[in-house]
Amino acid sequence: MAEALHHQRFISAAAFSIAAGAVHAAAAGAHGRVGLLGPLIGLTAVAQLTWGLFILVKPTYWGMLAGVAINGVALLAWATSRTIGLPLAGSAGEVQPVGVQDVVAAGLALAAIVLALGSISQRSVNSATFNATATTTVAVSLALIGILMPHDHGAANQSVPILEAGQLSTRLPQDEAIALLGLSARPPLSGAQGHSHDHGGGHGIGFQEPPPPKALTEAEQTSLDQQWAAAVAASQNLMTVEQATAAGYRQAGTEVPGVGSHWVKWSLVDKPFDPAQPSMLLFYEFTNGKPPQLAGFSYWVASAEVPEGFAGPNDSWHVHTGMCFIDGWLRFQNVAQRGECADTWIDGSDLWMLHAWPVPGLENRWGQFADMNPDMCMRRPNTPDILSCNPAGI
């Protein structure tokens, strides 16, 4: 009687392990775009499927213990990923949401463990209380539910778990690459009303001289002077590409006429405004054969509304929306949906950008917070600034 019971239990244990492996195989593709999570899920699927098929052919005591270990590790990894996060490159302890698909896979693995332990138990239990056909049918049914269940993490706001936000950039230091994915994964702030003020490039009023700055109160002027001094001091340690690189900044796009090339420190984006901690540096590259030089700062701040920056009313904030980054490099803007970007997509509707020009000797004649610098327009003889800086040539 006990022998028959043990036989039925190892068949059922194999069935549940195979079912769990099938669900993991279906889930691996949805997690395969970033880091090590996709391959880890795929490896788990292979291990569970292989063990289940092997034990059906050659059930042994040590083989059943191996099944307990394989499914036990899978169950432990699932519990860890839903509580404190797995220590994988690209996840950085990111806690994954609990969904129907992963709960089904975890339940199947747990059942496989219980049945495998029961199959090697020395207890004799009436076989009438256990039926391998019935339990196998349950395993198959649960596997179908897990496989067919859509893997959805919230299409409404297009936010996703960090491991599904894009590829972990190889161009960036790992902590910066993870920070970029974090920006992609996060939903916009509630109530964000970010509307781009861009004209041909996403930089405020565009290719024309801004109006004169508004007058400041005495208190505003004092505060602005202090903030500006902090920005000027910070610029002295970021004057060269080498200094910028050492400080964690990496170039994120090509030279924009009148603006320069953006060098981003992704871990500073989404942080409160600090005049001495710009999230971006603007480098002027067209320097007649000389090395690129720091020309200005760009602050990128998360806020549902236009943020508070430098004292006074003269900040010129703007937003860039629908940005698509390939390996940490901006390739497209105004991409409406995450699915239309092959790598890392940032909504951007609540990320406000402000240009400032605090570098001594490179002051912007259009103003401290002008969206562009006319002296960085690759000027040709007898060509007005507006034409030199207009990419469309109009």
Side-chain angles (χ1 to χ4, degrees), residues 257-295:
V259 178
S261 58
H262 291 68
W263 286 62
V264 184
K265 187 169 183 177
W266 293 104
S267 56
L268 292 180
V269 180
D270 193 20
K271 297 294 188 295
F273 172 78
D274 181 345
Q277 291 286 323
S279 50
M280 283 178 279
L281 309 177
L282 304 177
F283 272 88
Y284 185 38
E285 297 184 5
F286 294 94
T287 53
N288 297 319
K290 298 179 182 179
Q293 63 187 65
L294 179 68

Side-chain angles (χ1 to χ4, degrees), residues 102-359:
D102 57 271
V103 169
V104 168
L108 291 168
L110 178 61
I113 294 171
V114 172
L115 290 165
L117 289 173
S119 73
I120 58 177
S121 171
Q122 297 302 311
R123 293 184 306 156
S124 177
V125 182
N126 192 333
S127 61
T129 64
F130 189 88
N131 187 294
T133 301
T135 55
T136 299
T137 300
V138 172
V140 172
S141 300
L142 290 173
L144 289 175
I145 292 174
I147 292 171
L148 297 176
M149 184 61 59
H151 191 69
D152 181 12
H153 290 284
N157 61 24
Q158 302 198 60
S159 62
V160 297
I162 189 171
L163 289 173
E164 298 178 23
Q167 302 289 343
L168 191 68
S169 173
T170 58
R171 292 182 53 251
L172 307 178
Q174 186 177 75
D175 57 340
E176 293 299 311
I178 292 172
L180 171 57
L181 289 187
L183 288 171
S184 175
R186 63 184 280 279
L189 295 174
S190 177
Q193 300 292 322
H195 299 288
S196 178
H197 304 288
D198 49 34
H199 293 263
H203 291 103
I205 60 173
F207 305 103
Q208 57 183 343
E209 185 172 0
K214 297 177 181 178
L216 306 182
T217 66
E218 183 177 350
E220 288 174 336
Q221 187 65 59
T222 299
S223 180
L224 174 60
D225 290 343
Q226 294 173 347
Q227 292 174 316
W228 197 253
V232 170
S235 73
Q236 301 308 293
N237 297 317
L238 298 166
M239 296 297 293
T240 67
V241 166
E242 290 75 18
Q243 288 176 312
T245 300
Y249 294 86
R250 293 295 186 275
Q251 189 170 359
T254 57
E255 172 95 355
V256 176
V259 178
S261 58
H262 291 68
W263 286 62
V264 184
K265 187 169 183 177
W266 293 104
S267 56
L268 292 180
V269 180
D270 193 20
K271 297 294 188 295
F273 172 78
D274 181 345
Q277 291 286 323
S279 50
M280 283 178 279
L281 309 177
L282 304 177
F283 272 88
Y284 185 38
E285 297 184 5
F286 294 94
T287 53
N288 297 319
K290 298 179 182 179
Q293 63 187 65
L294 179 68
F297 286 169
S298 191
Y299 302 89
W300 214 1
V301 177
S303 176
E305 300 178 347
V306 180
E308 293 291 334
F310 286 94
N314 294 314
D315 290 358
S316 180
W317 294 92
H318 62 279
V319 298
H320 296 258
T321 58
M323 292 164 286
C324 179
F325 291 85
I326 307 296
D327 196 17
W329 193 272
L330 180 63
R331 296 297 185 186
F332 307 101
Q333 292 192 74
N334 302 316
V335 178
Q337 301 288 331
R338 182 181 300 278
E340 299 174 15
C341 176
D343 191 344
T344 305
W345 181 86
I346 294 180
D347 178 281
S349 61
D350 65 341
L351 293 175
W352 294 83
M353 186 179 295
L354 169 68
H355 295 169
W357 310 92
V359 181

Side-chain angles (χ1 to χ4, degrees), residues 34-35 37 85-96 162-163 168 178 181:
V34 144
L37 186 60
L86 293 169
L88 299 175
S91 64
E94 180 76 11
V95 176
Q96 298 297 303
I162 189 171
L163 289 173
L168 191 68
I178 292 172
L181 289 187

Side-chain angles (χ1 to χ4, degrees), residues 6-22:
H6 297 165
H7 175 74
Q8 292 194 60
R9 287 203 177 192
F10 82 68
I11 292 175
S12 296
F16 273 92
S17 184
I18 291 172

Side-chain angles (χ1 to χ4, degrees), residues 25-63:
H31 296 83
R33 297 182 61 211
V34 144
L36 297 177
L37 186 60
L40 180 61
I41 293 175
L43 182 62
T44 301
V46 171
Q48 290 174 319
L49 289 166
T50 301
W51 177 82
L53 294 172
F54 173 81
I55 213 67
L56 286 175
V57 176
K58 190 176 181 180
T60 66
Y61 175 84
W62 292 109

